[in-house]
């Protein structure tokens, strides 16, 4: 063997990989920052271009000229490649310097997730510092162009929004449902356009059912604003983003925004307003990603329920409206969500509330009680007919054994388990929902509802009736037809939804049957003053939203809400679980003690335990009994 020269010192240096990312303010430009990236192994800086070429080519290893080699399958490198590609797309030219905007929420999150941020621009720190030091909201009078007399809490909310807007920072307006969040947002838009007449349009993204409400509210309170509603894809409607530039406010739906996300990214927006923002609570959904990536100098989330099931949902909204507060979802779960939800860590809870306080404005109906009529909530406990009880107990034992046999591997068997629980919930209501052969078995809930509605109608009142199961609403329809009671009907398949709603609002039908999913938000039905919830759900926000269709600003009569619970069934357990979740929400957003909030395998077991009486007296303010 003849050896010529020195053999290369082949060695794996993957463990010594370090990535540095920094930002520096660009002179004369307030909205853009230079983005610097350095990659080193063993103290030696690597050429960024060579590394990116290797990553783009799908190489698994990179060999350096001195024999050192490193794996390119490090997830940090893939994240970095995506980050640089996105930053490059924002640059004026392919050969120009990498730049990043402080409003590029997705990029900032990726930077923090890498764990390699070495420096932030002074401008970002200045903005964040101003926000965290915002102990008192600057005084702002509502614009004279707003044709409404704002209540004091609404004036305070507007002043808070105006202060955030002037700082160039977003937030979450989380007032209870029915307290006028839309009006406060419209006042902010008028304020922004007065301060900067040349500012572009505000983009409002809302559920389909709420788009018409925005158009109506704007016409009523801010008629000088030009509002353009987008109710179809841009291609089908024959419109382009440029056609919308002349509007003051553009309102579209979450679905249409997602489908045309690329077009919306091309426009210059004065701000983004997300109504019923819980629609993007899942940070893994495509709609969330589209919202997060939209560049806007101001992002506002409007929602009465910033979290419905767990703290990660609150993180999703904060990551959009205030992306620099908790950039990394994994660290948020480790430091806040898990200790608070599972361990009841009061210290972490207090710290979280302090952190989010400057960014979240929430007023409950109790704080503005003088502006609303009284609300009475009652629980109607219904005893099953003996034949119904026998069918329920027989099926309960079968499903209990099945579920308990699967519960140890809850994640793998989640669908089967939840399907069995849904079956038991339906069986608690009416056995014919599970087996049409039991159609002759008396339904105590239906009989109780008809009896209650008779008293409501006789007293000159009107009622909303909610159920999660359209199959049960169909049985209610049949019964009302036989009783000669007029009604309106709305579920997710209803066509000409607006016409149905208007018929109830302008007509005299005493009853409005609504599926919980179709009517949970976006409706203002103060023409009714009674509300019946035919079946409970473990998400307390869903029931609260239903009741708030009638108990909201504009209601002049006392409101009565009834939750109908089948005694000694799984429904009692669902109510208890909903109460725990409501206390989690209250612990984070309002005040009070904290209880666990996640739907776990242990909670599933709890649903199947023998019924207890502990929940009684805790559900509603004045439990009532109905046989």
């Amino acid at each position: 063997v003849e050896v010529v020269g020195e053999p290369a010192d082949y060695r794996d240096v993957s463990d010594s990989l370090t990535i540095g990312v920094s930002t520096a303010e660009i002179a004369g430009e307030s909205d853009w920052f230079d983005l610097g990236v350095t990659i080193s192994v063993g103290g030696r800086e690597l050429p960024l271009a060579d590394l990116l070429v290797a990553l783009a080519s799908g190489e698994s290893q990179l060999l350096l000229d001195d024999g050192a080699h490193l794996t390119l399958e490090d997830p940090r490198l893939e994240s970095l490649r995506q980050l640089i590609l996105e930053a490059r797309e924002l640059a004026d030219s392919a050969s120009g310097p990498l730049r990043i905007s402080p409003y590029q929420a997705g990029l900032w999150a990726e930077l923090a997730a890498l764990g390699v941020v070495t420096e932030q621009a002074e401008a970002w720190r200045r903005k964040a510092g101003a926000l965290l030091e915002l102990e008192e909201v600057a005084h702002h009078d509502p614009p004279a162009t707003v044709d409404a007399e704002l209540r004091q809490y609404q004036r305070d909310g507007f002043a808070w929004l105006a202060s955030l807007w002037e700082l160039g920072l977003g937030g979450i307006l989380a007032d209870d449902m029915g307290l006028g969040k839309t009006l406060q947002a419209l006042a902010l838009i008028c304020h922004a356009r007065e301060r900067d007449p040349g500012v572009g349009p505000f983009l409002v993204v809302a559920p389909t059912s709420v788009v018409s409400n925005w158009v109506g509210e704007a016409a009523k309170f801010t008629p000088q604003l030009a509002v353009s509603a987008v109710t179809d894809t841009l291609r089908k409607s024959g419109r382009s983003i440029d056609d919308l530039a002349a509007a003051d406010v553009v309102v579209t739906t979450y679905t249409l925004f997602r489908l045309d996300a690329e077009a919306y990214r091309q426009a210059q927006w004065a701000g983004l307003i997300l109504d019923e923002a819980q629609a993007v609570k899942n940070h893994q959904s495509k709609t969330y990603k589209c919202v997060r990536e939209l560049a806007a100098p101001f992002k506002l989330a409007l929602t009465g329920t910033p979290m419905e099931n767990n703290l990660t949902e609150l993180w999703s909204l904060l990551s959009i409206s205030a992306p620099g507060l908790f950039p990394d979802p994994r660290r948020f779960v480790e430091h806040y969500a898990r200790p608070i939800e599972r361990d009841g860590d009061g210290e972490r809870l207090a710290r979280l509330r302090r952190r989010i306080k400057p960014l979240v404005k929430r007023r409950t109906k109790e704080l503005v009680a003088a502006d609303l009529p009284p609300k009475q909530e009652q629980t109607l406990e219904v005893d099953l007919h003996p034949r119904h009880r026998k069918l329920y107990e027989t099926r309960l034992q079968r499903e209990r054994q099945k579920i308990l046999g699967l519960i140890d591997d809850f994640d793998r068997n989640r669908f089967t388990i939840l399907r069995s629980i849904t079956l038991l919930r339906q069986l608690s209501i009416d056995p014919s929902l599970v087996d049409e052969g039991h159609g002759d078995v008396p339904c105590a809930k239906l009989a109780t509802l008809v009896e209650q509605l008779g008293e409501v109608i006789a007293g000159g009142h009107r009622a909303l009736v909610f159920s999660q199961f359209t199959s049960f609403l169909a049985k209610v329809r049949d019964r009302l037809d036989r009783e000669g009671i007029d009604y309106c009907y709305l579920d997710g398949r209803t066509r000409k939804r607006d016409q149905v709603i208007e018929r109830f609002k302008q007509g005299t039908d005493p009853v409005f049957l609504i599926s919980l999913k179709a009517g949970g938000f976006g409706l203002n039905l103060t023409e009714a003053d009674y509300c019946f919830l035919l079946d409970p759900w473990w998400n307390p926000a869903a029931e609260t939203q239903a009741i708030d269709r009638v108990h909201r600003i504009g209601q002049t009569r006392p409101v009565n809400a009834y939750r109908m619970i089948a005694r000694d069934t799984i429904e009692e357990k669902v109510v208890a679980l909903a109460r725990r979740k409501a206390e989690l929400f209250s612990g984070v957003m309002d005040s009070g003690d904290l209880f666990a909030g996640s739907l776990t395998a242990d909670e599933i077991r709890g649903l199947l335990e023998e019924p207890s009486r502990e929940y009684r007296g805790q559900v509603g303010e004045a439990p009532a009994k109905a046989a």
Side-chain angles (χ1 to χ4, degrees), residues 464-483:
L464 307 184
V465 179
F466 288 93
S467 175
Q468 295 161 73
F469 302 105
T470 55
S471 54
F472 188 51
L473 283 180
K475 293 182 69 67
V476 176
R477 293 178 71 173
D478 292 342
R479 181 63 180 270
L480 294 184
D481 286 336
R482 293 198 300 272
E483 299 288 339

Side-chain angles (χ1 to χ4, degrees), residues 117-134:
V117 176
T118 57
E119 181 184 356
Q120 281 192 328
E122 179 60 29
W124 176 263
R125 291 199 296 267
R126 192 162 58 243
K127 287 182 178 181
L131 172 67
L132 296 176
E133 293 171 4
L134 189 61

Side-chain angles (χ1 to χ4, degrees), residues 393-533:
E393 293 295 340
T394 301
R395 191 60 178 262
L396 173 64
Q397 297 306 318
R398 185 193 314 171
E399 297 300 327
R400 176 185 286 147
Q401 294 302 316
K402 179 199 296 185
I403 294 173
L404 293 180
L406 300 172
I407 199 70
D408 289 335
D409 195 353
F410 179 57
D411 289 335
R412 174 175 295 182
N413 298 307
R414 177 182 296 268
F415 177 78
T416 301
I417 292 171
L418 294 182
R419 184 173 58 185
S420 290
I421 290 175
T422 299
L423 183 147
L424 290 174
R425 291 178 56 232
Q426 291 176 312
L427 191 59
S428 300
I429 302 169
D430 187 327
S432 66
L433 301 182
V434 177
D435 186 345
E436 294 182 357
H438 299 314
D440 61 334
V441 177
C443 175
K445 272 197 180 183
L446 190 51
T448 301
L449 173 65
V450 171
E451 179 183 343
Q452 293 286 326
L453 288 178
E455 296 180 6
V456 168
I457 297 170
H461 302 282
R462 305 175 77 191
L464 307 184
V465 179
F466 288 93
S467 175
Q468 295 161 73
F469 302 105
T470 55
S471 54
F472 188 51
L473 283 180
K475 293 182 69 67
V476 176
R477 293 178 71 173
D478 292 342
R479 181 63 180 270
L480 294 184
D481 286 336
R482 293 198 300 272
E483 299 288 339
I485 298 175
D486 294 329
Y487 60 87
C488 296
Y489 181 88
L490 177 68
D491 66 19
R493 294 173 295 181
T494 300
R495 296 185 178 182
K496 300 181 179 179
R497 173 191 174 100
D498 292 343
Q499 293 183 17
V500 174
I501 296 170
E502 196 62 23
R503 172 187 161 190
F504 180 79
K505 293 171 72 71
Q506 301 298 330
T508 59
D509 291 341
V511 179
F512 199 169
L513 305 179
I514 309 174
S515 72
L516 198 63
K517 185 174 182 180
F521 51 76
L523 295 180
N524 184 345
L525 297 171
T526 53
E527 292 77 13
D529 55 341
Y530 277 74
C531 181
F532 291 88
L533 302 171

Side-chain angles (χ1 to χ4, degrees), residues 505-627:
K505 293 171 72 71
Q506 301 298 330
T508 59
D509 291 341
V511 179
F512 199 169
L513 305 179
I514 309 174
S515 72
L516 198 63
K517 185 174 182 180
F521 51 76
L523 295 180
N524 184 345
L525 297 171
T526 53
E527 292 77 13
D529 55 341
Y530 277 74
C531 181
F532 291 88
L533 302 171
L534 300 184
D535 36 80
W537 181 234
W538 46 57
N539 178 355
E543 293 185 354
T544 302
Q545 288 169 341
I547 296 172
D548 283 336
R549 297 313 98 211
V550 296
H551 192 241
R552 58 196 301 118
I553 295 296
Q555 179 61 267
T556 58
R557 295 168 295 176
V559 170
N560 292 275
Y562 297 91
R563 291 178 173 87
M564 301 181 69
I565 307 297
R567 193 195 307 273
D568 295 335
T569 70
I570 194 173
E571 288 192 342
E572 292 184 348
K573 299 296 183 177
V574 171
V575 169
L577 182 55
R579 179 172 178 266
R580 293 176 61 192
K581 289 186 176 295
E583 287 168 331
L584 169 64
F585 180 92
S586 177
V588 176
M589 301 306 302
D590 302 323
S591 61
D593 296 329
L594 182 72
F595 291 79
S598 302
L599 185 60
T600 64
D602 286 340
E603 289 172 334
I604 295 294
R605 289 190 182 94
L607 291 172
L608 299 172
E609 292 175 355
E610 294 297 333
S612 69
R613 322 306 274 189
E614 295 179 359
Y615 88 102
R616 299 221 170 97
Q618 300 173 344
V619 182
E621 299 173 3
K625 179 179 179 180

Side-chain angles (χ1 to χ4, degrees), residues 32 56 101 144 163 207 215 232-233 254 287 334 355 360 441 449 453 458 477 488 544 546 596:
W32 292 92
S101 162
S163 295
V215 175
D232 208 337
T233 61
Y254 283 100
T287 302
E334 293 171 4
R355 292 288 303 278
V360 181
V441 177
L449 173 65
L453 288 178
R477 293 178 71 173
C488 296
T544 302

Side-chain angles (χ1 to χ4, degrees), residues 351-364:
R351 187 187 311 166
L352 174 63
R353 294 183 67 185
R354 287 195 300 270
R355 292 288 303 278
I356 69 175
K357 183 179 179 181
L359 300 159
V360 181
K361 174 71 72 174
R362 174 169 172 77
R363 278 75 59 86
T364 64

